[in-house]
Amino acid sequence: MRTRIVYTGLCITHIMLATNGLLPFLLSSILAIAAAVGTWKFVKLDQSIWIQLLIIVVYLINGPKIENIVLLIGGALLFIYSTTMQKRLIIRTLNPDMNKQLHQFNETFQMVRKERHDYLKHVAAIQYLLEKEQFKEAKSYMANLLNRYEETNLSIKGEHGAIASVLHTHYKEARSENMAINYQLDVPISQLPIESADLVELVGNILENAIFACREWQCERGEQGFVELSLQKRSGLFLLTCKNSTLPLEREVADQLFVTSGISTKEHHTGLGTAIIQEIVHNHKGFLDFNTEKNTFVITCKIPSVV
């Protein structure tokens, strides 16, 4: 918000000074305000702001002159150039994460295709066992098959592709490390009023942190840990809750975990994941609660159903 206010002030100042003496004051004011309000969503400020301030100083030195229009055009082009370069930098920075998410999506899609392809084979196998009156074997075969499908069903039931891939990937990761993981989703996570990219980051970071803490707990205690992700809708609020096994947290770390950027329970880690969770929840007018009780860490994201 601060950068938007700064940009609006710069834009209005630019136009007012550049058109000073060339256009009536009222017309110049309307033009300046309209330009600032119409473009502030698309412009990002960087170190070029100092050049913009220098141009404003030149306006004051020049006084009312037609040459100021050239400076105004130069300032506008500088805004466009700096914004474009920042967007390219962001794309390059996010590209590895995008590739990772695409890999997860493709993996989930291929898994669903394989299960669909093998469906008739399993039906034929069960039919054969029943025809041979091998009911015990048929029951055991069906139980094993249901267990395999349960893993997929928990991840993709009612979910959009990107969210399903995140849920499935972390489910497989937890099960591969012998964690007890469960999704209790009264409504699909995809129904949260959050953009798909933000939702992937929110759920992905919550589960990543939970699995990491659970892994540490298992290594320390030598027992099976658990991760449970749930989503409920209550009185106009979505309640996204994650519970997991955890080792005791130091009080100063727990108090600042989702408050101060850079705070993390992971050694040699930036703590960026918790900052991302907090930012996404805050940007969608939500609230974040967390607490540790005994050996369990609980985080709850309260998101209004209408943002």
Side-chain angles (χ1 to χ4, degrees):
M1 178 61 69
R2 184 183 301 172
T3 58
R4 292 173 179 175
I5 294 174
V6 172
Y7 167 74
T8 302
L10 282 174
C11 186
I12 292 175
T13 303
H14 261 296
I15 295 177
M16 292 290 292
L17 291 178
T19 58
N20 181 31
L22 303 176
L23 293 176
F25 179 79
L26 179 60
L27 179 59
S28 180
S29 301
I30 295 174
L31 178 63
I33 295 172
V37 173
T39 59
W40 64 266
K41 289 184 178 181
F42 309 103
V43 176
K44 296 182 180 295
L45 295 178
D46 58 8
Q47 295 301 318
S48 64
I49 185 175
W50 299 108
I51 302 178
Q52 300 288 352
L53 293 174
L54 180 60
I55 294 175
I56 290 176
V57 172
V58 176
Y59 289 142
L60 296 173
I61 295 174
N62 280 347
K65 289 186 178 180
I66 191 66
E67 290 84 354
N68 288 339
I69 298 298
V70 177
L71 290 175
L72 175 63
I73 295 173
L77 291 176
L78 182 59
F79 274 133
I80 295 172
Y81 175 77
S82 62
T83 300
T84 302
M85 295 305 295
Q86 286 187 76
K87 288 181 178 179
R88 288 180 181 177
L89 178 60
I90 291 173
I91 290 174
R92 286 199 298 268
T93 303
L94 294 180
N95 193 50
D97 291 336
M98 293 173 63
N99 289 335
K100 179 182 177 181
Q101 292 172 13
L102 182 60
H103 174 74
Q104 293 175 352
F105 183 85
N106 288 335
E107 185 180 65
T108 304
F109 178 71
Q110 292 301 327
M111 175 270 303
V112 173
R113 284 189 62 187
K114 181 180 182 301
E115 290 186 352
R116 180 180 178 184
H117 179 266
D118 294 339
Y119 177 77
L120 290 179
K121 297 177 184 177
H122 295 307
V123 171
I126 294 171
Q127 182 181 16
Y128 174 81
L129 293 173
L130 293 175
E131 289 176 350
K132 295 296 182 180
E133 298 185 355
Q134 298 178 14
F135 302 117
K136 185 177 180 179
E137 289 82 356
K139 184 178 179 180
S140 177
Y141 189 97
M142 177 63 77
N144 290 331
L145 190 60
L146 288 176
N147 285 336
R148 290 175 54 187
Y149 284 150
E150 180 66 15
E151 175 183 326
T152 306
N153 186 58
L154 279 172
S155 304
I156 69 173
K157 184 171 59 177
E159 300 291 356
H160 296 164
I163 304 304
S165 66
V166 170
L167 293 175
H168 179 69
T169 298
H170 286 92
Y171 188 97
K172 283 181 60 180
E173 179 184 359
R175 291 303 302 145
S176 69
E177 300 189 37
N178 196 36
M179 298 176 189
I181 182 169
N182 188 30
Y183 297 147
Q184 297 285 347
L185 307 176
D186 291 354
V187 292
I189 290 179
S190 300
Q191 287 190 13
L192 284 168
I194 299 177
E195 296 84 350
S196 181
D198 285 346
L199 196 52
V200 166
E201 289 189 354
L202 176 65
V203 176
N205 278 292
I206 289 175
L207 287 174
E208 180 181 324
N209 290 343
I211 290 172
F212 181 90
C214 190
R215 182 186 299 119
E216 284 193 327
W217 189 87
Q218 290 188 157
C219 292
E220 179 75 18
R221 301 298 175 87
E223 302 174 14
Q224 185 183 45
F226 79 94
V227 175
E228 180 180 295
L229 183 72
S230 64
L231 178 62
Q232 300 174 322
K233 188 176 182 182
R234 297 286 185 273
S235 303
L237 282 177
F238 286 101
L239 304 178
L240 179 64
T241 303
C242 186
K243 303 178 182 179
N244 59 270
S245 303
T246 185
L247 295 173
L249 297 179
E250 296 180 8
R251 184 178 183 85
E252 56 270 21
V253 173
D255 290 344
Q256 297 296 319
L257 195 56
F258 291 92
V259 177
T260 304
S261 297
I263 299 296
S264 175
T265 61
K266 307 174 187 177
E267 187 177 2
H268 307 306
H269 198 271
T270 61
L272 188 58
T274 56
I276 291 173
I277 294 170
Q278 170 68 22
E279 181 181 5
I280 292 174
V281 172
H282 175 77
N283 287 345
H284 291 85
K285 313 301 181 186
F287 304 91
L288 189 148
D289 293 330
F290 64 94
N291 63 77
T292 55
E293 185 175 347
K294 295 183 179 180
N295 296 315
T296 302
F297 181 85
V298 182
I299 176 175
T300 300
C301 304
K302 303 176 182 179
I303 309 294
S305 58
V306 178
V307 178

